[in-house]
Amino acid sequence: MESTRIPPIALLPFALLALVLGILTGLVRLGYPMPVAEAVGQHGALMIGSFLTTLILLERAVVFKTNGALLAPLLNGLSLPAFWLGATELAQGLLVAGALSMVLMTYLFLVRHRHSYYYLLLAGSICLAVGNSLLFRNGFYPLAVPWWIGFLLFTIVGERLELSRFLPLTTGQRALLWALLALVGLGIGQPFHGAGQPVLGAGMLGVALWLLRFDMALKSLRKPGQARYSGVWLLMGYGWLFLSGLLFLLPVRNAFWYDAALHSFFLGFVFSMIFAHAPIILPGVLGQGGVFYHPLLYAWAGLNSVSLGLRLLADWQALPDWRVVSGFGQAAALLGFFATMALTVTGLNRLSFRKKGYSRG
């Protein structure tokens, strides 16, 4: 008798509720009171660990097509209720378990396929495991953050290489990218608030310029609909990556400079990549056909970038009230984006249901 396969969509609420809690704790950090006292100090772990890592684990677990693989995003997702209840050590331990699961999954992909970009995905998952382990052991976020940057940068670039694998890149162009990524790795491995920060910034600048020049995003602008939408936000993301690298490279101007550099990367680069890829990747995660794209997605992605620009201006001029305003703009953008995606998925499901001729009764 065959076992019933757990639908991957059943695990999505862990990630989406982690996003909501991460947004609320972020607003508290900007100075606006919210009823999330137990989790207020865990904003970074919620956004990078409980939200983003759960999504990526779910995407990878779907490829294995077994219930056992879904234990990885489940374990990682359970960090959300642990953080909510104030069981911080348990939550961080679950994030370590999720990161080690990602290392194993990526290693299995590499053994099966041996493509060069899987080495980059493996390097990203190792960065996640190191960052989460440092946080679990020391409880000190500045130790984990550069490793989280490495995790997301290596993962995103690896996935872009996979999606762009048919582009006619020369050996020299590929070697240049790997050299720039090695510079990023060198920066991560150095004391971050010493020599590591400018080295990392220089590597990020180089990777951003490489992607702007050689990625397929520019070609996507020539196509209509979802392809053009993805191309726009890929290019926007590469612009945010360039700015983040520049801010890390330049001398610190004020107390908010570090905030500007981090959020240019996480809210600018990383979320622009999510906006660009979600209509493409979500059908595969849910095991459904079609492309989940709606023109309204432009508005939410645009609001995120405008709000982030306001935040950086407020950081530069040390204007705390405007930082709160920018935070509400970004909260609306992220929640609006995922709500629109949910409605789009629901609408496509209804359409498919009707075309098959089934009745609701």
Side-chain angles (χ1 to χ4, degrees):
M1 180 178 180
E2 293 187 5
S3 61
T4 303
R5 187 168 176 236
I6 299 170
I9 196 172
L11 300 182
L12 272 179
F14 284 104
L16 297 179
L17 290 173
L19 173 64
V20 172
L21 187 56
I23 289 171
L24 295 178
T25 55
L27 291 173
V28 173
R29 291 173 64 84
L30 288 172
Y32 194 87
M34 287 285 178
V36 289
E38 297 295 341
V40 71
Q42 307 302 323
H43 171 68
L46 283 163
M47 294 297 287
I48 308 304
S50 302
F51 169 57
L52 286 171
T53 303
T54 301
L55 278 183
I56 295 170
L57 279 170
L58 186 56
E59 175 193 350
R60 296 188 183 174
V62 166
V63 178
F64 288 93
K65 299 181 180 178
T66 64
N67 286 338
L70 292 173
L71 287 175
L74 176 61
L75 269 178
N76 200 83
L78 288 173
S79 62
L80 167 65
F83 276 131
W84 175 260
L85 296 172
T88 301
E89 190 171 346
L90 172 61
Q92 292 174 352
L94 288 168
L95 292 182
V96 172
L100 293 174
S101 299
M102 186 177 291
V103 172
L104 177 60
M105 282 184 179
T106 313
Y107 174 74
L108 292 174
F109 288 152
L110 180 60
V111 169
R112 289 180 182 182
H113 303 292
R114 295 290 180 182
H115 296 303
S116 60
Y117 43 78
Y118 281 119
Y119 288 97
L120 197 50
L121 296 177
L122 180 62
S125 61
I126 291 172
C127 284
L128 176 66
V130 172
N132 287 358
S133 298
L134 288 171
L135 184 65
F136 177 70
R137 182 178 177 182
N138 301 288
F140 189 52
Y141 271 88
L143 288 176
V145 166
W147 294 98
W148 288 345
I149 290 174
F151 156 55
L152 289 167
L153 183 59
F154 292 156
T155 298
I156 290 168
V157 174
E159 291 186 348
R160 289 309 305 161
L161 290 177
E162 181 179 11
L163 291 170
S164 307
R165 60 188 178 275
F166 300 116
L167 286 180
L169 296 174
T170 67
T171 302
Q173 290 164 354
R174 294 181 187 276
L176 174 60
L177 176 61
W178 284 97
L180 293 168
L181 292 167
L183 187 61
V184 170
L186 180 63
I188 293 169
Q190 300 295 314
F192 188 62
H193 293 288
Q197 186 169 314
V199 173
L200 173 62
M204 292 166 69
L205 276 172
V207 171
L209 290 173
W210 192 97
L211 290 168
L212 284 166
R213 172 63 181 84
F214 297 113
D215 188 69
M216 63 187 294
L218 283 172
K219 294 180 174 61
S220 298
L221 295 181
R222 303 169 191 165
K223 302 174 183 178
Q226 180 271 321
R228 181 179 297 157
Y229 161 83
S230 294
V232 166
W233 296 111
L234 287 169
L235 293 173
M236 181 66 75
Y238 302 155
W240 284 119
L241 178 62
F242 180 90
L243 179 59
S244 180
L246 185 63
L247 290 172
F248 279 130
L249 187 59
L250 294 174
V252 174
R253 184 181 184 276
N254 63 24
F256 293 127
W257 198 262
Y258 182 62
D259 175 87
L262 285 185
H263 288 88
S264 295
F265 179 82
F266 290 114
L267 284 174
F269 172 61
V270 174
F271 270 93
S272 291
M273 297 298 103
I274 293 173
F275 296 149
H277 289 115
I280 305 168
I281 293 175
L282 191 58
V285 171
L286 300 180
Q288 299 178 16
V291 175
F292 299 155
Y293 163 72
H294 190 283
L296 184 57
L297 297 178
Y298 273 107
W300 300 121
L303 178 59
N304 180 68
S305 282
V306 170
S307 299
L308 180 55
L310 178 61
R311 179 176 186 143
L312 299 191
L313 179 62
D315 284 341
W316 181 38
Q317 296 295 323
L319 302 171
D321 291 342
W322 284 104
R323 294 178 79 239
V324 176
V325 173
S326 73
F328 276 104
Q330 290 189 293
L334 301 185
L335 295 176
F337 176 84
F338 283 101
T340 301
M341 289 298 302
L343 291 173
T344 303
V345 171
T346 303
L348 286 179
N349 284 346
R350 286 202 194 104
L351 182 61
S352 174
F353 189 81
R354 289 171 183 166
K355 281 183 177 179
K356 288 178 181 177
Y358 298 124
S359 68
R360 290 177 177 264

